[in-house]
Amino acid sequence: MSNLSDIGFPVAGEQDVNEILMSALSRVMELNCPPFGSYYRHADPSGAELFIQGNSDQELIGFNPAFSQGGIATLLLLRSIERDTSELDGAF
């Protein structure tokens, strides 16, 4: 099982991932992040989400699954973590 399957996108292999991404791209909301590029958010009715990353040349450079669900949580972010894979990848 993959992290995509865990949140509601059925994935058995790389071909399934490609099909999900191509399908999701037809139904996305663009979130611009100048000068680095954009995120393209696809939200499934189940709460499963994909954040597809595009650079400033409009090339797809990555994606991250997420899950949206109502609830309350208190978080304390201690530090940001820069990653060298993409300007649109980062972590806390």
Side-chain angles (χ1 to χ4, degrees), residues 1-38:
M1 194 175 260
S2 75
N3 56 355
L4 289 168
S5 295
D6 291 344
I7 63 169
F9 293 110
V11 173
E14 188 175 336
Q15 182 176 347
D16 291 336
V17 173
N18 290 334
E19 288 175 12
I20 288 168
L21 289 172
M22 291 302 109
S23 175
L25 282 170
S26 67
R27 302 178 307 268
V28 295
M29 177 177 70
E30 184 174 3
L31 306 164
N32 290 314
C33 299
F36 305 113
S38 298

Side-chain angles (χ1 to χ4, degrees), residues 22-74:
M22 291 302 109
S23 175
L25 282 170
S26 67
R27 302 178 307 268
V28 295
M29 177 177 70
E30 184 174 3
L31 306 164
N32 290 314
C33 299
F36 305 113
S38 298
Y39 291 102
Y40 301 94
R41 177 181 172 259
H42 166 71
D44 185 87
S46 70
E49 297 179 320
L50 288 176
F51 285 86
I52 303 167
Q53 303 164 341
N55 64 18
S56 58
D57 293 328
Q58 295 185 327
E59 300 168 319
L60 299 182
I61 58 173
F63 71 95
N64 292 299
F67 190 80
S68 175
Q69 183 177 11
I72 297 174
T74 302

Side-chain angles (χ1 to χ4, degrees), residues 64-82:
N64 292 299
F67 190 80
S68 175
Q69 183 177 11
I72 297 174
T74 302
L75 302 174
L76 173 63
L77 301 178
L78 300 175
R79 62 186 170 98
S80 65
I81 301 170
E82 292 189 30

